[in-house]
Amino acid sequence: MTQGTPSPPGARLAAALRESKARTGLSLAQLAEATTFSKSSWQRYLNGGSLPPRSAVVELCRLAGEPADHPLALLDIARTDRTASHDAEPPVGEPPVPPVPPRRQHTGAREEAPTPPPGPVPADTAPTHPTAAPHHRGLVTVLAALLALALGALVLLHLLPPHREQGQPPPAAVSSTTGPLCRHRSCQDKDPLTTRCGAEPQTLAEHETATGAWIQIRYSPVCGTSWARMWGAALGDRVAIRAGGADGPVHGARVTNRTEADTYVHTLMSVVDPRTSLQACFTPAAGGAKECFGAVAGDATATTAP
């Protein structure tokens, strides 16, 4: 990925921010006047040049009149992806292939010894059988050429790296920066955003409470987990989710500060199987009845979250 090019999570975040800006009807200059961020900063955030702070996302969504939970989730995923990319060890380069020593081509003609200058041949060095020596030298040449071919093939076989199509990265470079960081049992009691299980979840059920807060039951088929998230809530409001009936594990979350009240909170994950029953409950801090609703993991009627 070249410098200045946003990662896939960063590109999705930038697209979501542009849609929110379009709903405000404001220009870049007007957006800068209405927020605490400059025009150049908004230009970088909207084109994916840099990741915005959470407060910038909240201010933009407030101007657009929409909850900030989805853009903030994209921001968390983009930050996690950036951290993982920076921490990943660069792939080891392929070793250079040593050059194969040049080999004399065999043309099929017999290789003759250098022709000596004309002169008398001494009687004690003249061959007894004149035709035997040239024939022997030709046979040696053929055998030497065949041996060189065999040795060259062995060198190439052991030194050349495995075949890889041009442009295809090593498998380790792909798996280290993409996909969820846990699956099934290893995801129990973990955060859906930091593990990337919340990247493309399904919304199994959604409920608006009497106080105006919204609750969703989320499910990741890839990770095999479920959790709940809540936005539009007040300080002290609680949400909890139970998986697998009365004896199943329970995870809860509570709005503890103004930032969480303006954005959203989510529970940790429970490992579930398809057809596992799920129940989410809302408890308002101001008092009143607890509101509960349910869903089933892997329900075919569930929708994929935007």
Side-chain angles (χ1 to χ4, degrees), residues 1-281:
M1 184 180 300
T2 60
Q3 185 174 6
T5 303
S7 63
R12 290 195 293 268
L13 171 63
L17 295 180
R18 289 194 297 269
E19 292 178 1
S20 297
K21 175 188 172 296
R23 282 190 280 271
T24 66
L26 301 176
S27 64
L28 278 177
Q30 293 171 332
L31 185 60
E33 293 178 0
T35 64
T36 56
F37 298 90
S38 65
K39 177 181 176 181
S40 59
S41 296
W42 278 117
Q43 192 168 17
R44 292 194 303 273
Y45 303 154
L46 295 172
N47 63 20
S50 62
L51 296 179
R54 295 178 68 88
S55 56
V57 176
V58 173
E59 289 186 38
L60 176 60
C61 291
R62 183 178 295 130
L63 291 174
E66 60 187 16
D69 65 305
H70 179 57
L72 286 172
L74 293 177
L75 175 60
D76 291 339
I77 296 170
R79 286 178 174 174
T80 302
D81 181 81
R82 181 179 62 182
T83 301
S85 299
H86 287 175
D87 294 341
E89 183 178 351
V92 178
E94 296 181 2
V97 180
V100 179
R103 187 178 67 250
R104 179 181 300 171
Q105 289 185 342
H106 175 63
T107 60
R110 291 185 301 175
E111 186 176 320
E112 302 288 346
T115 305
V121 178
D124 58 351
T125 61
T128 307
H129 302 285
T131 60
H135 176 74
H136 177 71
R137 286 195 297 270
L139 180 60
V140 170
T141 301
V142 173
L143 292 177
L146 292 176
L147 180 61
L149 286 173
L151 290 176
L154 288 175
V155 169
L156 291 177
L157 179 62
H158 286 84
L159 294 183
L160 282 177
H163 174 70
R164 183 184 301 145
E165 294 183 3
Q166 185 177 5
Q168 181 182 356
V174 176
S175 61
S176 63
T177 58
T178 59
L181 302 180
C182 68
R183 291 177 186 269
H184 303 284
R185 292 183 179 179
S186 62
C187 296
Q188 182 68 34
D189 303 329
K190 292 186 178 180
D191 188 281
L193 295 186
T194 58
T195 57
R196 301 180 189 163
C197 291
E200 295 182 355
Q202 292 179 347
T203 298
L204 300 179
E206 188 175 86
H207 173 71
E208 183 179 11
T209 69
T211 63
W214 284 88
I215 314 290
Q216 287 181 334
I217 297 178
R218 311 278 269 176
Y219 171 65
S220 170
V222 177
C223 296
T225 57
S226 185
W227 65 96
R229 71 171 179 174
M230 173 176 66
W231 71 91
L235 287 172
D237 285 354
R238 295 176 179 271
V239 62
I241 184 170
R242 183 188 299 273
D247 297 329
V250 179
H251 289 105
R254 176 176 174 268
V255 179
T256 59
N257 55 60
R258 177 53 56 188
T259 300
E260 292 177 346
D262 290 341
T263 56
Y264 73 100
V265 295
H266 60 271
T267 69
L268 299 180
M269 297 186 292
S270 292
V271 177
V272 297
D273 296 322
R275 311 312 301 172
T276 298
S277 61
L278 304 165
Q279 185 185 56
C281 292

